[in-house]
PDB file of all heavy atoms in Angstrom:
ATOM      1  N   SER A1066      88.634  96.360 103.033  1.00 98.00           N
ATOM      2  CA  SER A1066      87.362  96.000 103.689  1.00 98.00           C
ATOM      3  C   SER A1066      86.435  95.346 102.665  1.00 98.00           C
ATOM      4  O   SER A1066      86.683  95.417 101.448  1.00 98.00           O
ATOM      5  CB  SER A1066      86.673  97.254 104.240  1.00 98.00           C
ATOM      6  OG  SER A1066      86.238  98.080 103.170  1.00 98.00           O
ATOM      7  N   GLY A1067      85.342  94.786 103.153  1.00 98.00           N
ATOM      8  CA  GLY A1067      84.331  94.228 102.253  1.00 98.00           C
ATOM      9  C   GLY A1067      83.641  95.323 101.459  1.00 98.00           C
ATOM     10  O   GLY A1067      83.251  95.112 100.308  1.00 98.00           O
ATOM     11  N   THR A1068      83.478  96.471 102.077  1.00 98.00           N
ATOM     12  CA  THR A1068      82.848  97.602 101.384  1.00 98.00           C
ATOM     13  C   THR A1068      83.693  98.003 100.172  1.00 98.00           C
ATOM     14  O   THR A1068      83.171  98.182  99.069  1.00 98.00           O
ATOM     15  CB  THR A1068      82.680  98.807 102.350  1.00 98.00           C
ATOM     16  OG1 THR A1068      82.135  98.328 103.576  1.00 98.00           O
ATOM     17  CG2 THR A1068      81.786  99.875 101.768  1.00 98.00           C
ATOM     18  N   PHE A1093      73.125  94.277 104.781  1.00 98.00           N
ATOM     19  CA  PHE A1093      73.808  95.324 105.536  1.00 98.00           C
ATOM     20  C   PHE A1093      74.027  96.512 104.594  1.00 98.00           C
ATOM     21  O   PHE A1093      74.268  96.319 103.396  1.00 98.00           O
ATOM     22  CB  PHE A1093      75.144  94.772 106.056  1.00 98.00           C
ATOM     23  CG  PHE A1093      75.910  95.745 106.901  1.00 98.00           C
ATOM     24  CD1 PHE A1093      75.298  96.386 107.973  1.00 98.00           C
ATOM     25  CD2 PHE A1093      77.237  96.028 106.631  1.00 98.00           C
ATOM     26  CE1 PHE A1093      76.004  97.295 108.760  1.00 98.00           C
ATOM     27  CE2 PHE A1093      77.954  96.928 107.409  1.00 98.00           C
ATOM     28  CZ  PHE A1093      77.333  97.559 108.471  1.00 98.00           C
ATOM     29  N   ALA A1095      76.354  98.311 103.888  1.00 98.00           N
ATOM     30  CA  ALA A1095      77.610  98.377 103.132  1.00 98.00           C
ATOM     31  C   ALA A1095      77.401  98.014 101.660  1.00 98.00           C
ATOM     32  O   ALA A1095      78.084  98.548 100.782  1.00 98.00           O
ATOM     33  CB  ALA A1095      78.647  97.454 103.750  1.00 98.00           C
ATOM     34  N   ASP A1182      77.915  89.643  96.415  1.00 99.00           N
ATOM     35  CA  ASP A1182      78.292  90.098  97.748  1.00 99.00           C
ATOM     36  C   ASP A1182      78.390  88.842  98.613  1.00 99.00           C
ATOM     37  O   ASP A1182      77.391  88.322  99.118  1.00 99.00           O
ATOM     38  CB  ASP A1182      77.261  91.082  98.312  1.00 99.00           C
ATOM     39  CG  ASP A1182      77.693  91.639  99.671  1.00 99.00           C
ATOM     40  OD1 ASP A1182      78.471  90.949 100.358  1.00 99.00           O
ATOM     41  OD2 ASP A1182      77.252  92.740 100.045  1.00 99.00           O
ATOM     42  N   CYS A1184      80.244  88.641 101.291  1.00 98.00           N
ATOM     43  CA  CYS A1184      80.869  89.104 102.544  1.00 98.00           C
ATOM     44  C   CYS A1184      80.523  88.222 103.733  1.00 98.00           C
ATOM     45  O   CYS A1184      81.235  88.217 104.732  1.00 98.00           O
ATOM     46  CB  CYS A1184      80.476  90.553 102.811  1.00 98.00           C
ATOM     47  SG  CYS A1184      81.353  91.698 101.743  1.00 98.00           S
ATOM     48  N   GLN A1185      79.417  87.456 103.649  1.00 98.00           N
ATOM     49  CA  GLN A1185      79.019  86.579 104.758  1.00 98.00           C
ATOM     50  C   GLN A1185      79.149  85.107 104.369  1.00 98.00           C
ATOM     51  O   GLN A1185      78.625  84.249 105.066  1.00 98.00           O
ATOM     52  CB  GLN A1185      77.558  86.869 105.146  1.00 98.00           C
ATOM     53  CG  GLN A1185      77.309  88.297 105.573  1.00 98.00           C
ATOM     54  CD  GLN A1185      75.900  88.525 106.108  1.00 98.00           C
ATOM     55  OE1 GLN A1185      75.096  87.601 106.231  1.00 98.00           O
ATOM     56  NE2 GLN A1185      75.601  89.764 106.452  1.00 98.00           N
ATOM     57  N   SER A1212      84.271  90.126 102.988  1.00 98.00           N
ATOM     58  CA  SER A1212      84.679  90.929 104.148  1.00 98.00           C
ATOM     59  C   SER A1212      85.397  90.004 105.122  1.00 98.00           C
ATOM     60  O   SER A1212      84.977  88.854 105.314  1.00 98.00           O
ATOM     61  CB  SER A1212      83.442  91.514 104.836  1.00 98.00           C
ATOM     62  OG  SER A1212      83.774  91.975 106.135  1.00 98.00           O
ATOM     63  N   LYS A1217      83.365  87.636 111.016  1.00 98.00           N
ATOM     64  CA  LYS A1217      82.989  86.818 109.855  1.00 98.00           C
ATOM     65  C   LYS A1217      83.550  85.388 109.996  1.00 98.00           C
ATOM     66  O   LYS A1217      84.425  85.141 110.831  1.00 98.00           O
ATOM     67  CB  LYS A1217      83.542  87.464 108.573  1.00 98.00           C
ATOM     68  CG  LYS A1217      82.922  88.834 108.290  1.00 98.00           C
ATOM     69  CD  LYS A1217      81.462  88.700 107.914  1.00 98.00           C
ATOM     70  CE  LYS A1217      80.871  89.907 107.239  1.00 98.00           C
ATOM     71  NZ  LYS A1217      80.389  90.962 108.109  1.00 98.00           N
TER      72      LYS A1217
HETATM   73  C1  LIG B 290      76.444  91.599 103.274  1.00 77.73           C
HETATM   74  C2  LIG B 290      77.625  92.472 103.587  1.00 77.73           C
HETATM   75  N1  LIG B 290      78.121  93.266 102.618  1.00 77.73           N
HETATM   76  C3  LIG B 290      79.181  94.065 102.829  1.00 77.73           C
HETATM   77  C4  LIG B 290      79.810  94.102 104.066  1.00 77.73           C
HETATM   78  C5  LIG B 290      80.929  95.064 104.263  1.00 77.73           C
HETATM   79  O1  LIG B 290      82.089  94.520 104.784  1.00 77.73           O
HETATM   80  P1  LIG B 290      83.093  95.401 105.667  1.00 77.73           P
HETATM   81  O2  LIG B 290      82.465  95.626 106.994  1.00 77.73           O
HETATM   82  O3  LIG B 290      84.329  94.555 105.730  1.00 77.73           O
HETATM   83  O4  LIG B 290      83.349  96.676 104.934  1.00 77.73           O
HETATM   84  C6  LIG B 290      79.336  93.288 105.092  1.00 77.73           C
HETATM   85  C7  LIG B 290      80.000  93.303 106.396  1.00 77.73           C
HETATM   86  O5  LIG B 290      79.464  93.415 107.443  1.00 77.73           O
HETATM   87  C8  LIG B 290      78.207  92.470 104.867  1.00 77.73           C
HETATM   88  O6  LIG B 290      77.698  91.699 105.829  1.00 77.73           O
END
Side-chain angles (χ1 to χ4, degrees):
S1066 68
T1068 313
F1093 183 51
D1182 184 335
C1184 285
Q1185 301 187 4
S1212 164
K1217 296 291 197 276

